[in-house]
Amino acid sequence: MNEKFHELIKQASAVVLDKNVEIRLAMTCLLAGGHLLIEDLPGVGKTTLVQVLGKLTGLKTRRVQFTIDLLPADVIGGQIYHPQEHKFVFHQGPLFSQLVMADELNRASPRTQSALLQAMEEGEVSVEGVTWPLPQPFYVIATQNPHQQTGTFPLPESQLDRFLMSLELHPASKETEVRILQGEDPRLLLQKIRPLFNEAEIAEALLEVAKVQVSVTVAQYIADLLERSRRAGFEGAPLSTRAGMALAKAAKAWAFLEGRNYIRPEDVQQVLVPVLGHRLGGNHGIKRGREWAGILQKSTPVPV
Amino acid sequence: MSRRFYAQKVLATSFIIAMVMVALEVSAWIAAFSLIMLFWKWGVENLQWKPLSRKATGFLSILLLIQVLIQFRTLIGQEPAYTFLLALSSLRIMDYQNDRDHKFVILLGFLLISVKALFSLDIYWILPSGVAFIGLWYSLLPPNLPARARVLFKIFVLSVPLAAILFFAFPRFVLPWAMSRGSSQLGEIGFTDEINPGMVAELATNTAVAFRAKIERLPVNKSIDLYWRGSVLNQSRGLSWRPRRLGLRTPALEEYKNLPSYEVAIEPTSQLYLFVLDGTRHVDLDINQVLALPQSIYRSTRPLNKSSVYRGYYKSEFKDESPPQDEDLQVPPVQGRVRAWVDDILNRKLSTSQKVDELQKLFVDGGFVYTLSPGVYGPNDLETFLFVRKRGFCEHFAGAYATLARSLGIPARVVVGYQGGRFNPLGGFWKISQKDAHAWVEIFHEGFWQRVDPTLWVAPLRLVIGAEEFFGLSEEDQRAFARAVDWRPPTKEDFLLWDEISFWVEDLNYRWTYFLIDFDKTSQQSFWKSFLNYRIQSVFLILAIAFGLVSIFRSLFNKKRKLNEAQVLLEAVEKWAERKNISREASEPPLEFFRRLQFEFPHLKSSLQEIELFYDQQTYAGKSSSSGKEVLRNWKRQMRSR
């Protein structure tokens, strides 16, 4: 099962150059059933990455560009009057797809942001008293610009918590950039990509991930991490139990990709920074949070 | 939860031990009653007999209370209380059904044990008491608590040295109202200040210990030489003798410290006698002052209500040359055949030595029988004893001899005390029991008081082998061998296993009593004094004890995890890597560490991989693999081979 995912990662890496680790983490996030937040400057390949993932997984992908004047109805959809039938009919917004790319999420007004985030948490949307279930699986990959940039509304901590992982996409290395500049536009490559999975296979993989075992030792390790983040003297925001659950979930998905049905502390450490970075950072920004996550990992002994 | 008494073997055994120990001290009827109750309960539990209802046992306990009240006319006092306690215990067993009964029964068990301790602190009873005590505690513990039990055990171990330190260091108070052991009437030493026919014989049937003595450095070392002087009786009534009021003697001025000494450890007594060997010149007793009386008699100034040790200084060549007084010749009028015998000797106008020989002839040839059951004599039944029945015990012979000697004009007096004893080769001490009670005579002849023991002529064997062995023989044998003297004292090879055991237990009891039970203020002071004499050793000892205590404390409160095989492996590899200056960061996962080592030491790769695999499987995959020991062995072998 996991070979196919490795194939996926390989093919995606051919399109989005120099981002192997990030692609793998993004895949991990999807396998763990969580939403992903990507923060970086525009033009480093965020959008391409999401598009590649959408294509390869065969998920129905929609992209929403968030702007300051975007309204919740533009995302969710709304009741529109049908004159022929003399009634209002619900028109699904772009949210009704399996993989939603929320581009530049932090440019939208808090009201629109929260509409999206509610959908992320509950897997359904309510419009004028009627609840509409979202398709399954439902992923949101949001990108955001570093919040020092002008015209942004930083996401509050409670909403940051809804994302399982956050990633930074650094600019590609110089050599890679040279190759990109010489070669063909990766966006053209996108067109050739065919999906590797069908819906059933994705669902099966999610079930497999859920079955991965967590031994006492590793659970202890995660609990130690949580406990240490709450100690006085640690700069980052204290971690909640939900953060610990997210860490375990992500580690499970990572172990699944490794072809194991149990997790090791190594798996936790691999996903530790992406899972905890935005949680620890809070309003100091994801960058600081990632530093603190590194400190947390270094200072927490691995139970033996 | 319903419980069954006999299904709990530890509880049943401990409780029955406790009950039996107390049952031996109370009247037979109550012991029998308890036994019946125990047996009935056994039948109820095992043979489906009809049990007594709670109402019935309640009614029975009221009846028993009334019975005890009628028998003793009070409930206050040891014996009625014990009797009632025993009865109540057996009734509680009958009621035993649930957890509440369980706890109540155990409480009663503890009471029974403490009650027994009031009767006797001998090691013979301390041992079963200890067993019962531990058993009762054990049955209080919930059935499954291995971890807590270990902690309890450690606390117990911890308490032992603390108890020992407290025992030696805790200040002792002399409480005037403290209970004394032994019965208030006679004490352990059933000695009174007079002899009547049969009294010593009665004493001699008692097996209790009177005192123990260490006489290693004295020239006397045979049973036959050991005459323990208790009291001297000067007033004759024929067979019966009484003491005279004695004035104080001025203590011996001579330098007694150079004399060889011996040690006597005497059982608690309400009496004042200090038994000393014939020839003792001085007696030292720790707290109580010693009264030295004329005729080489020693008394303590107050009752020794606990086991005490005193020291006697012995001079073998000592002769009591104090002149006889008029009353040493006073006799009650003798009649009949005794008168005739006395007149016959007196008429022959013999010298004193000849008179003494005549007296000896009377006892040697008289056909006397030495026996514990001589029959009943009146106080002045000389004639019946000497010429008719001729059966007697030492007191009869001594009393008769002294009376006859006085009648012949030889000053004489009866000495009562103990004779001989049983030597314990293990402890190197003599045990003198009540059986060894004896009476002999001193006559003033050739200018000093000399010892004459008529028993020696009648039953020399008694003196040669000691009372305990002698009365261990059958009565026929006693009579048949009484005059035998060529008795070889038993040697080590002659001891049977039983003898060895009895010597051993006796020795243990001796130490128990004198070094533990009666460790009082004086003993404490002398202990610390001697302790400080060995300063260096003491410091070491204290350090060792402190170290032991600290380590027990640490093991008690350090929650050291028990390592599993994977952890043992990791520890072994870490230790090894430490020597190569490679250490694992706390945040480095062990598997990564193993991989790093593989990279650093490619020749160890296979071994390290094996460890890595095992660690991974056991710690993270949760698969129990039994090859951990094997892996460790491989690793160690590889380390050794390099």
Side-chain angles (χ1 to χ4, degrees), chain B residues 8 35 69 86 109 138 163 210 254 344 349 522 540 543 556 604 611 625:
Chain B
Q8 304 179 63
L35 200 71
L69 277 173
L86 190 68
Y138 179 82
E254 55 199 293
D344 175 45
K349 302 267 185 284
T522 328
F540 272 112
L543 284 181
L556 198 59
L604 293 175
I611 294 174
S625 163

Side-chain angles (χ1 to χ4, degrees), chain A residues 213 215 217-218 221 260 262-266 269 297-304, chain B residues 561 567 570 584 586-592 595 615-617 619-623:
Chain A
Q213 292 171 17
S215 67
T217 319
V218 181
Y221 179 46
R260 262 184 284 115
Y262 57 89
I263 62 175
R264 296 173 179 161
E266 282 90 333
Q269 292 188 348
Q297 181 191 329
K298 276 276 165 222
S299 63
T300 310
V302 178
V304 292
Chain B
R561 277 193 309 165
Q567 287 162 335
L570 177 64
R584 188 179 69 87
S587 63
E588 184 180 13
L591 296 183
E592 227 161 78
R595 250 167 267 145
Y615 191 93
D616 187 36
Q617 291 294 309
T619 313
Y620 303 132
K623 287 178 205 153

Side-chain angles (χ1 to χ4, degrees), chain B residues 150-213:
Chain B
R150 238 193 338 263
V151 172
L152 281 180
F153 178 73
K154 277 182 186 168
I155 290 175
F156 171 74
V157 170
L158 201 63
S159 73
V160 171
L162 285 178
I165 289 170
L166 280 180
F167 174 79
F168 286 114
F170 200 76
R172 297 294 196 279
F173 304 104
V174 181
L175 299 175
W177 59 86
M179 255 211 287
S180 64
R181 295 201 290 120
S183 87
S184 53
Q185 292 300 309
L186 290 171
E188 291 287 325
I189 292 175
F191 222 81
T192 55
D193 231 357
E194 57 188 85
I195 58 166
N196 287 313
M199 269 207 67
V200 179
E202 195 184 308
L203 203 57
T205 56
N206 188 344
T207 54
V209 177
F211 57 91
R212 298 178 176 88

Side-chain angles (χ1 to χ4, degrees), chain A residues 71-264:
Chain A
L71 294 174
D74 298 331
V75 183
I76 297 168
Q79 306 275 30
I80 289 176
Y81 184 68
H82 273 220
Q84 294 89 347
E85 296 166 34
H86 301 287
K87 65 174 184 186
F88 284 93
V89 172
F90 180 67
H91 273 242
Q92 295 181 337
L95 209 54
F96 285 83
S97 52
Q98 289 173 310
L99 180 62
V100 178
M101 182 183 177
D103 228 349
E104 299 186 305
L105 177 63
N106 59 343
R107 285 195 180 279
S109 66
R111 192 176 157 208
T112 313
Q113 281 179 8
S114 65
L116 174 73
L117 293 160
Q118 189 203 347
M120 284 163 64
E121 182 68 17
E122 286 153 23
E124 56 188 28
V125 289
S126 305
V127 181
E128 288 172 19
V130 187
T131 302
W132 304 89
L134 292 167
Q136 289 299 322
F138 175 71
Y139 298 110
V140 172
I141 299 183
T143 69
Q144 70 169 2
N145 299 325
H147 76 286
Q148 300 91 335
Q149 286 199 341
T150 50
T152 57
F153 298 92
L155 296 173
E157 284 95 334
S158 62
Q159 299 194 345
L160 278 174
D161 208 28
R162 307 269 154 89
F163 291 98
L164 181 75
M165 278 192 189
S166 63
L167 291 178
E168 279 183 308
L169 291 183
H170 301 285
S173 65
K174 199 169 175 184
E175 296 79 33
T176 312
E177 277 181 332
V178 169
R179 266 172 61 207
I180 293 172
L181 292 172
Q182 277 186 317
E184 62 182 315
D185 188 350
R187 286 167 199 233
L188 292 176
L189 280 176
L190 257 180
Q191 320 249 311
K192 297 184 197 161
I193 285 176
R194 294 283 161 270
L196 288 171
F197 293 89
N198 57 37
E199 248 179 65
E201 281 175 313
I202 296 280
E204 195 189 326
L206 287 173
L207 278 178
E208 286 283 312
V209 170
K211 277 192 242 163
V212 171
Q213 292 171 17
V214 183
S215 67
V216 185
T217 319
V218 181
Q220 178 79 47
Y221 179 46
I222 295 173
D224 285 349
L225 287 165
L226 299 182
E227 188 261 342
R228 201 161 276 262
S229 78
R230 295 166 195 154
R231 282 193 194 172
F234 183 72
E235 287 181 82
L239 293 171
S240 64
T241 309
R242 184 158 55 182
M245 286 160 70
L247 199 52
K249 234 191 259 177
K252 278 173 161 187
W254 186 275
F256 169 77
L257 280 180
E258 295 271 317
R260 262 184 284 115
N261 65 347
Y262 57 89
I263 62 175
R264 296 173 179 161

Side-chain angles (χ1 to χ4, degrees), chain B residues 29-30 33 57-76 80-81 83-88 91:
Chain B
W29 68 268
I30 195 70
F33 172 82
T57 53
F59 182 65
L60 261 179
S61 55
I62 293 171
L63 276 188
L64 280 163
L65 180 64
I66 294 168
Q67 160 64 26
V68 168
L69 277 173
I70 289 170
Q71 187 180 343
F72 299 97
R73 293 201 178 78
T74 172
L75 255 188
I76 301 161
T83 308
F84 191 55
L85 180 66
L86 190 68
L88 216 56
L91 287 173

